[in-house]
Amino acid sequence: MGTNAYDGYFEIKKGLDGVYLEIFEAQPGGVNPTLEQMEQRLRSSDIAGFDLIAVEEAMTPGFDKATVKVLTIENGIADGDEPFRIEIVENKMMARITFYPSDMPFDKDLIIRRLKGRGIKVGINHELLDALAEDREYNVPYIIAEGVPAIDGKAAEIDFQFDTDKSAKPEMDDQGNVNYKKLNVISNVKKGQLLARLVEMKEGVEGVNIYGDPIAPRKPKPVKLRFGKNTVISEDKMSLYAACDGLVKTFEGKIIVNNVYEVPNNVGTSTGDIEFEGTVIVHGNVLTGFSIKAKGDVEVLGAVEGAEIISRGNIILHAGIQGMGKCHIEATGNIQARYIENAEVVAGGDIHSEAILHSNVTCKGRVTVEGRKGMISGGAIKAGEAVETKILGSHMGTVTEVDVGIDPGMLAEYSELRKELPKISGELAKLEQVINLLNKRKEVEGALDQEKQDMYMSAVRNKIFLTNKVKQAQVRFDELEEMVENKNNGVVIVNKELYPGVKVSIGSVSTYIKDEISYVKLVKNGADIKMSSL
């Protein structure tokens, strides 16, 4: 017989009434056993008087499996036969022996000769044979030889360094409180971050059947790191890294990093708060109580309610803000919104809108309000360079404050120092009083007790610290004050109506509008604010 895994094979089966050949047909690509092979095997098993004619008749194409009686045994045992039967099972991986009642003694050497005569070379269990010599049951099969099965190779695995299952599951703290605004739907990554690594495949181990034929292990399918946009693979193809900040995910079997995160509907309970390393585009609204924090730009095609949006880039709000006094919008760059109402808006660049109503708006550049309404009414507007609008205030005399010409951040620092300096100086004066009192007591008593000495040393240390702090704060305050006093390039431009109730501050100079004025430009002129017609 061949050693091809697809070859056919046969087994000798012995029963009380005779000897049988159990023949298994070859699979496509293999060959069937021949009559010569069967004859040789029967003779090596000390079986005589067999007839193979019926075997040839049974092996017609497509027979699959045939059991043919080749020898009839009278009285249960044929001449020269032994009181046991050996059969091959499990696709040549196992040999079983079955004993029958007999007056013949147990002969281990005979059994081994029969096994080897049938070509069995591997896995003969000598310890079992020794045990069976002492005690055995009849008509019970014992496994007397076993092959060594092949150990299949283990396929390579991809060790993902991010959560590939981003179902909307809320975040839970250590106390079991669930935060439904934190749904963990985004896997943020940084440029250069490891995304996945390939764990190498393990080679299989070859096996062997009881005839000594090798059994090849199954080779696992090859696995590769499939990568897409914004990713970089290592030279050895074993590690994958992010090429930019953004959202990592698998798409069509590939690992990709998107630097744009798109929300198809609203930012709300279905998304939770959004925190993203790149740009965020929202195709719906941003609902009250939710937030967006992005390292890139933020673009909202719908409206923004009482929400928070913070961007280190620009913010574009196509339908504007209806903040209800709960909205905070902040961008490092520019902010563009169709309208801004009842909100707090802060920009490191310019702000552009069609209407700003009852809002606190701050930017380092220009605030430009134009379009069909072009109105600023209510609230406070602070701009480092200029404010330009069609209408400023309202005919109802709505209180509106406009402050230009000074960087709002610098102005905030100046105001804070103006409040803080007197407090620090007051604390310093109190420390000096304590030190003076303790010095006098020391002069009178000659020494201080431990408690008073500790108090004295603490006061001295704090005095040194506060003295340095006052000096530094005073220097900075003087710098800012000079800048505030001398800032003259701020401008307010009203392209239609300027109403009473508006306070305009340019640099350190302020004026209240008492009469309605049309088409006017306001600039600082020395200690006054000069108005000129457009």
Side-chain angles (χ1 to χ4, degrees):
M1 292 173 62
T3 59
N4 191 317
Y6 299 104
D7 288 350
Y9 63 98
F10 63 91
E11 297 175 356
I12 299 174
K13 305 279 187 176
K14 295 180 181 178
L16 295 178
D17 64 334
V19 177
Y20 295 81
L21 285 182
E22 196 170 71
I23 308 161
F24 298 86
E25 188 177 18
Q27 300 298 311
V31 295
N32 283 320
T34 64
L35 293 178
E36 289 77 7
Q37 290 171 332
M38 298 179 197
E39 181 180 358
Q40 183 180 359
R41 179 73 63 78
L42 288 166
R43 293 188 185 283
S44 66
S45 300
D46 292 333
I47 299 174
F50 52 82
D51 184 358
L52 298 181
I53 295 176
V55 172
E56 188 172 14
E57 294 175 352
M59 292 178 62
T60 57
F63 70 90
D64 189 30
K65 175 183 175 182
T67 302
V68 181
K69 188 175 184 180
V70 296
L71 178 63
T72 300
I73 298 176
E74 297 180 0
N75 301 321
I77 299 178
D79 292 339
D81 201 7
E82 297 81 34
F84 58 81
R85 181 180 68 186
I86 295 173
E87 55 182 341
I88 313 302
V89 295
E90 300 295 333
N91 198 18
K92 309 177 191 177
M93 288 298 293
M94 185 183 297
R96 294 189 306 206
I97 186 168
T98 304
F99 295 94
Y100 303 104
S102 172
D103 294 331
M104 295 179 64
F106 183 90
D107 189 339
K108 177 182 176 181
D109 292 337
L110 177 62
I111 294 172
I112 292 175
R113 285 199 304 274
R114 295 292 175 264
L115 290 170
K116 291 182 177 180
R118 297 186 62 176
I120 298 171
K121 305 174 183 177
V122 174
I124 298 174
N125 192 335
H126 291 273
E127 292 181 0
L128 176 62
L129 283 174
D130 291 339
L132 291 174
E134 300 297 327
D135 184 26
R136 60 191 175 278
E137 294 183 29
Y138 297 116
N139 297 308
V140 175
Y142 295 94
I143 299 172
I144 198 61
E146 284 187 278
V148 179
I151 300 175
D152 293 337
K154 185 178 180 182
E157 296 179 351
I158 297 176
D159 180 15
F160 293 98
Q161 300 296 302
F162 60 94
D163 188 358
T164 56
D165 178 19
K166 274 295 173 183
S167 54
K169 298 176 182 177
E171 186 178 273
M172 182 181 295
D173 62 21
D174 295 337
Q175 285 71 43
N177 300 313
V178 178
N179 186 350
Y180 288 95
K181 293 172 66 180
K182 295 287 186 182
L183 296 185
N184 297 314
V185 294
I186 301 175
S187 289
N188 280 302
V189 293
K190 298 279 191 180
K191 181 178 179 180
Q193 183 174 330
L194 177 66
L195 304 178
R197 61 186 181 88
L198 196 62
V199 180
E200 289 187 89
M201 65 172 286
K202 292 183 179 179
E203 296 289 343
V205 179
E206 190 177 75
V208 61
N209 65 20
I210 58 176
Y211 295 122
D213 302 327
I215 301 172
R218 290 181 183 176
K219 290 185 178 181
K221 293 182 180 179
V223 176
K224 295 181 179 180
L225 275 176
R226 298 187 62 204
F227 57 96
K229 67 177 183 178
N230 297 324
T231 60
V232 177
I233 196 163
S234 61
E235 289 186 8
D236 61 4
K237 311 297 183 185
M238 298 296 289
S239 301
L240 189 66
Y241 300 89
C244 67
D245 294 353
L247 161 66
V248 61
K249 65 178 183 178
T250 56
F251 179 71
E252 295 181 347
K254 296 180 180 179
I255 300 172
I256 65 172
V257 176
N258 278 334
N259 54 2
V260 176
Y261 177 58
E262 296 200 40
V263 182
N265 298 303
N266 298 334
V267 173
T269 54
S270 63
T271 64
D273 294 339
I274 292 174
E275 191 166 344
F276 186 54
E277 295 292 331
T279 293
V280 176
I281 299 176
V282 180
H283 291 267
N285 304 323
V286 183
L287 305 183
T288 298
F290 291 89
S291 69
I292 299 174
K293 295 179 182 178
K295 295 291 180 66
D297 298 339
V298 174
E299 184 174 3
V300 180
L301 277 63
V304 177
E305 298 179 358
E308 178 184 50
I309 300 177
I310 298 177
S311 164
R312 289 172 67 175
N314 302 314
I315 295 177
I316 302 172
L317 310 175
H318 290 259
I321 306 166
Q322 182 62 56
M324 299 174 286
K326 302 175 183 178
C327 180
H328 177 78
I329 308 294
E330 185 174 343
T332 302
N334 302 325
I335 295 176
Q336 184 176 337
R338 185 174 180 183
Y339 63 88
I340 300 170
E341 185 173 350
N342 289 301
E344 182 179 37
V345 178
V346 180
D350 300 332
I351 294 176
H352 192 282
S353 182
E354 292 184 16
I356 301 176
L357 305 174
H358 308 290
S359 297
N360 293 325
V361 173
T362 303
C363 74
K364 290 186 177 182
R366 298 175 63 94
V367 174
T368 303
V369 181
E370 57 187 359
R372 186 169 59 86
K373 290 186 177 180
M375 173 189 292
I376 297 175
S377 181
I381 311 297
K382 293 182 175 69
E385 297 176 6
V387 172
E388 183 173 1
T389 181
K390 286 172 66 175
I391 298 172
L392 183 54
S394 75
H395 66 277
M396 300 292 292
T398 304
V399 175
T400 307
E401 296 183 6
V402 176
D403 199 326
V404 298
I406 302 176
D407 181 338
M410 183 180 70
L411 186 59
E413 184 184 0
Y414 172 71
S415 299
E416 185 63 31
L417 283 175
R418 193 170 188 173
K419 296 176 184 177
E420 187 179 9
L421 265 172
K423 293 180 182 179
I424 302 174
S425 299
E427 291 176 15
L428 186 59
K430 291 178 181 178
L431 285 172
E432 289 175 343
Q433 288 177 357
V434 171
I435 292 170
N436 290 334
L437 287 171
L438 291 173
N439 279 329
K440 288 179 180 179
R441 174 168 291 192
K442 186 176 181 180
E443 290 176 4
V444 173
E445 299 179 359
L448 298 173
D449 60 29
Q450 189 61 49
E451 182 180 355
K452 294 294 189 295
Q453 182 64 27
D454 291 344
M455 185 185 300
Y456 177 81
M457 295 303 298
S458 177
V460 170
R461 285 193 297 267
N462 288 335
K463 178 186 175 182
I464 295 171
F465 172 75
L466 287 179
T467 299
N468 290 331
K469 188 174 182 181
V470 167
K471 287 180 180 178
Q472 293 174 6
Q474 187 64 54
V475 170
R476 181 59 177 162
F477 178 78
D478 293 341
E479 291 175 355
L480 292 172
E481 187 173 44
E482 184 178 358
M483 294 169 68
V484 169
E485 293 294 333
N486 297 325
K487 196 72 173 177
N488 297 313
N489 60 352
V491 60
V492 177
I493 300 172
V494 181
N495 291 313
K496 193 171 182 181
E497 299 295 335
L498 173 59
Y499 288 102
V502 174
K503 177 187 176 184
V504 176
S505 300
I506 302 176
S508 59
V509 182
S510 301
T511 185
Y512 290 89
I513 306 303
K514 298 178 181 179
D515 300 307
E516 184 176 333
I517 308 171
S518 300
Y519 305 98
V520 65
K521 177 180 179 181
L522 295 87
V523 296
K524 183 180 178 184
N525 184 16
D528 298 316
I529 290 179
K530 178 184 176 182
M531 299 184 190
S532 58
S533 299
L534 295 176

